[in-house]
Amino acid sequence: MADMIEDGTVIDGVHYHQHDIVIVGAGGAGMRAAIEAGPNARTAVVSKLYPTRSHTGAAQGGMAAALANVEEDNWEWHTYDTVKGGDYLVDQDAAEILAKEAIDAVLDLENMGLPFNRTADGKIDQRRFGGHTREHGAAPVRRACYAADRTGHMILQTLFQNCVKLGINFFNEYYVLDMVMAEVDGKKQPAGVVAYELATGDLHVFQAKAVIFATGGFGKIYKTTSNAHTLTGDGVGIIWRKGLPLEDMEFYQFHPTGLAGLGILLSEAARGEGAILRNASGERFMERYTPTLKDLAPRDIVARSMALEIREGRGAGPNKDYLYLDITHLEPAVIDEKLPDITEFARTYLGVEPYTEPVPVLPTAHYAMGGIPTNTNAEVLQSNTEIVPGLYAAGECACVSVHGSNRLGTNSLLDINVFGKRAGINASEYVKTAPWVPLPENPAKGIRDLLDQVRSGDGTERIAVIRKELQDSMDRNAQIFRTEESLKEVTELIETLRARYKNIQIQDKGKRYNTDLLEAIELGFLLDLAEVVVYSARSRHESRGGHMREDYPKRDDENFLVHTMAYLTGDPESAEAGEHIRLDWKPVVITNYPPMERKY
């Protein structure tokens, strides 16, 4: 096939497009990258959702930056908190970049028009958030810049408006299912992506010099999750199937305050404004676990403390299986001004009046610390040090690793802006001199065959049943507490589910908006990623951050102060569970903060 394809060409029913840069995903990271790339290169943003429906909009609490508008603060304290919060698995060069560039990242958004809450003298207001401190852990600090409790929603709207102003080319409701790679001078490089257009069922090939993945997380491997139904890890799964590594996949964050029984998130902003976690007897139990930061300790510590309270019989409700978030002591005016969304969630979904009643809460699967490994330029790695030319990733799908084994609240909205920006800048520089990578013959054939196979399947298995069994087992066996026995159980189940997945049948055989078909494809990604999470967790014989092994309860810096790098080495459909996965290790970058005991 020719190196250059005229935009709009249709060959054998496949539509071809050509752009210098293709960004996969239109959430915060993808659109922040587009704002940098768009004015400098022909850029397309390809998204399975309309951009303002992306999951960035669900982020509530704030975006960290040491502006010192309300209290004394500086970026070095922010760096320290990020490193310590990540239980010293954070690459400290990345954390320094995050903290230093946070200030400009907030000011960029303000200049784009984001309506932050303000202090009385007109500055951007800031509030407390878990794990953020002054003077290297001395006391909590107000570092989170916020727009009520809908900060992510405001960021998403602001970025989208600025993309529209710049004339960014969006392909909305185009589901990217594959990345086309070709070998150039002995190195594999991306040549473009293959996408399924939801409205027509047509396939589209987007040829590009550079590809940026910004596809978000994969929380739907769990049953109880704050993640939307669409967060199935497609981008991470595509990278995995291309034989590229995934980093630190065993580390998954469970946010302390999901609505009990539902997982819908109640922001940490509530505790930042003074909300208190209580057990069935009304005790403020976090004082026993973290006397200094109390309810504003890092999320992994709070979630584990909550799970222990329930395990030891101090839970509330008929089954003693949840705890309470109490904001009844706050002024209603403060609640209405700063926490309008989460209070409405409590009323709508649980029928609880937060002015007068504590809200039932339970930890919920929230955020992947691991993902596609990148360096600080957002370039994707194919080994510990070697990059894939022209391939970038940013946001939750990426692992830079700025969050280590536990992300601090408000660092995710910061991450998408700092490293989304870096991805856009570096990709636009790269394409100035990079040659076009030729597409192989019939680049959409693999995906067309996969779709036809799923559509024509006449098996007896149902997608929803297999997905539910996976999610239930992940909740039971690979959530806050893990053991070799529990992880082995879910590993064996995944092997069984893979066999059953070959025998699926979907009800909708059509092409237009065939969500039945797409959920079948998504389930394949979920099975892949759940297996990598569990396999990586089985191999890390220690407890660190979001990974708590009850059979290895202590942190082991001597053997495991390293990043996990997982590689696909065979066909998961034909191999025994785990035999197609190879693990390697990558050193943690340490600059100013050697590992210490983690006290709060």
Side-chain angles (χ1 to χ4, degrees):
M1 186 168 286
D3 288 6
M4 305 288 288
I5 300 176
E6 186 177 347
D7 212 35
T9 300
V10 181
I11 303 174
D12 294 332
V14 178
H15 304 257
Y16 286 83
H17 311 263
Q18 190 180 73
H19 296 83
D20 295 319
I21 299 170
V22 169
I23 300 170
V24 185
M31 288 199 287
R32 189 66 189 85
I35 286 170
E36 298 302 323
N40 302 302
R42 289 179 301 158
T43 301
V45 179
V46 186
S47 173
K48 67 192 279 191
L49 300 169
Y50 192 76
T52 51
R53 290 184 59 224
S54 298
H55 204 59
T56 300
Q60 298 165 348
M63 176 173 162
L67 299 182
N69 284 353
V70 181
E71 296 176 341
E72 183 184 358
D73 200 4
N74 66 61
W75 68 265
E76 290 179 293
W77 297 348
H78 186 185
T79 302
Y80 170 79
D81 291 336
T82 299
V83 171
K84 182 180 178 184
D87 217 350
Y88 295 94
L89 203 74
V90 171
D91 284 336
Q92 295 181 23
D93 56 342
E96 289 168 11
I97 288 168
L98 185 82
K100 281 182 181 178
E101 297 184 7
I103 296 166
D104 282 343
V106 169
L107 297 180
D108 284 348
L109 289 170
E110 182 183 36
N111 291 333
M112 290 181 200
L114 195 148
F116 286 108
N117 277 50
R118 299 283 167 174
T119 63
D121 57 358
K123 295 180 180 179
I124 295 173
D125 201 3
Q126 297 181 274
R127 62 182 166 207
R128 292 176 178 171
F129 240 77
H132 291 278
T133 68
R134 59 178 172 82
E135 299 170 15
H136 301 96
V141 70
R142 289 177 169 84
R143 184 177 291 148
C145 309
Y146 65 97
D149 58 353
R150 48 177 76 107
T151 313
H153 175 79
M154 296 299 188
I155 288 174
L156 199 63
Q157 297 289 336
T158 300
L159 293 176
F160 182 56
Q161 289 163 9
N162 280 268
C163 284
V164 170
K165 182 174 75 173
L166 291 171
I168 301 297
N169 195 5
F170 283 92
F171 291 83
N172 300 324
E173 297 186 333
Y174 282 63
Y175 193 152
V176 172
L177 296 174
D178 192 19
M179 177 173 61
V180 181
M181 298 191 79
E183 196 164 294
V184 179
D185 297 330
K187 291 186 176 182
K188 282 192 172 183
Q189 292 183 225
V193 299
V194 181
Y196 174 93
E197 184 181 0
L198 272 69
T200 64
D202 290 349
L203 291 178
H204 294 252
V205 173
F206 293 83
Q207 188 179 19
K209 292 182 177 181
V211 176
I212 301 173
F213 276 86
T215 52
F218 46 89
K220 294 307 288 185
I221 62 173
Y222 290 97
K223 175 186 176 184
T224 305
T225 177
S226 66
N227 285 196
H229 192 70
T230 54
L231 266 70
T232 49
D234 321 319
V236 183
I238 288 168
I239 293 292
W240 175 246
R241 291 177 181 182
K242 290 298 171 185
L244 297 173
L246 298 180
E247 181 176 352
D248 288 344
M249 291 288 282
E250 64 268 41
F251 296 109
Y252 207 92
Q253 181 170 91
F254 298 90
H255 194 292
T257 53
L259 287 177
L262 298 171
I264 296 170
L265 196 67
L266 296 187
S267 172
E268 196 169 309
R271 284 173 284 142
E273 297 294 342
I276 295 171
L277 288 165
R278 299 189 187 278
N279 58 26
S281 62
E283 178 196 7
R284 186 180 188 178
F285 59 87
M286 284 307 301
E287 291 180 330
R288 284 191 277 109
Y289 296 99
T290 52
T292 301
L293 296 186
K294 302 181 178 68
D295 305 273
L296 287 175
R299 288 174 178 173
D300 61 324
I301 294 174
V302 179
R304 278 198 301 276
S305 302
M306 293 174 71
L308 285 171
E309 287 293 299
I310 292 169
R311 179 182 285 188
E312 293 173 4
R314 293 186 288 275
N319 299 317
K320 296 188 175 182
D321 57 355
Y322 58 77
L323 297 160
Y324 289 122
L325 182 70
D326 182 10
I327 62 172
T328 58
H329 54 289
L330 301 180
E331 289 292 330
V334 173
I335 295 172
D336 290 343
E337 178 190 355
K338 296 184 176 181
L339 306 170
D341 275 6
I342 67 171
T343 51
E344 194 58 36
F345 292 163
R347 295 180 186 115
T348 301
Y349 297 110
L350 292 184
V352 170
E353 176 46 67
Y355 287 169
T356 57
E357 302 172 83
V359 181
V361 292
L362 195 65
T364 180
H366 181 57
Y367 189 91
M369 272 76 73
I372 304 166
T374 73
N375 60 20
T376 56
N377 291 323
E379 297 168 304
V380 172
L381 300 174
Q382 58 181 312
S383 66
N384 286 4
T385 56
E386 190 177 4
I387 67 165
V388 182
L391 185 57
Y392 302 82
E396 189 176 352
C397 74
C399 181
V400 60
S401 153
V402 79
H403 306 305
S405 61
N406 173 65
R407 176 179 65 77
L408 291 187
T410 70
N411 271 356
S412 59
L413 290 178
L414 178 57
D415 178 9
I416 62 176
N417 280 281
V418 168
F419 291 101
K421 180 178 180 178
R422 281 177 160 248
I425 290 172
N426 291 317
S428 57
E429 282 298 311
Y430 172 82
V431 301
K432 287 179 181 177
T433 56
W436 287 97
V437 176
L439 288 168
E441 290 294 329
N442 202 355
K445 183 181 185 304
I447 292 303
R448 174 176 275 168
D449 291 347
L450 174 63
L451 294 172
D452 288 345
Q453 178 186 344
V454 173
R455 195 183 280 113
S456 62
D458 59 357
T460 57
E461 294 287 350
R462 295 290 179 263
I463 298 303
V465 173
I466 296 175
R467 184 175 60 220
K468 184 177 187 302
E469 290 188 32
L470 171 69
Q471 293 171 338
D472 286 347
S473 183
M474 289 294 288
D475 265 22
R476 278 195 316 273
N477 299 308
Q479 208 196 47
I480 294 174
F481 294 110
R482 304 160 175 188
T483 64
E484 173 61 24
E485 183 180 359
S486 73
L487 294 169
K488 183 180 179 183
E489 180 180 325
V490 70
T491 302
E492 292 171 350
L493 175 69
I494 290 170
E495 184 180 355
T496 301
L497 294 180
R498 279 197 186 284
R500 290 169 55 187
Y501 182 61
K502 297 177 185 177
N503 189 37
I504 59 172
Q505 180 183 166
I506 61 172
Q507 305 306 299
D508 186 350
K509 307 295 185 179
K511 287 190 172 183
R512 297 177 181 271
Y513 288 106
N514 190 340
T515 55
D516 204 11
L517 172 66
L518 295 178
E519 286 188 10
I521 303 299
E522 289 171 338
L523 177 58
F525 288 128
L526 290 176
L527 288 168
D528 284 352
L529 298 180
E531 185 175 41
V532 183
V533 168
V534 173
Y535 192 77
S536 300
R538 289 183 71 178
S539 300
R540 182 173 286 272
H541 296 166
E542 67 159 355
S543 292
R544 185 188 298 267
H547 171 71
M548 177 66 192
R549 284 286 299 261
E550 291 192 279
D551 43 356
Y552 297 97
K554 296 188 180 299
R555 194 179 82 192
D556 181 358
D557 290 336
E558 183 177 347
N559 295 302
F560 291 101
L561 186 62
V562 286
H563 299 294
T564 308
M565 299 288 279
Y567 294 81
L568 179 64
T569 58
D571 181 6
E573 300 301 330
S574 60
E576 294 295 318
E579 289 184 4
H580 49 278
I581 298 175
R582 174 177 68 86
L583 290 187
D584 199 358
W585 308 96
K586 185 175 76 166
V588 175
V589 178
I590 297 174
T591 56
N592 296 319
Y593 304 108
M596 299 173 63
E597 187 178 356
R598 198 161 164 247
K599 290 183 178 179
Y600 288 97

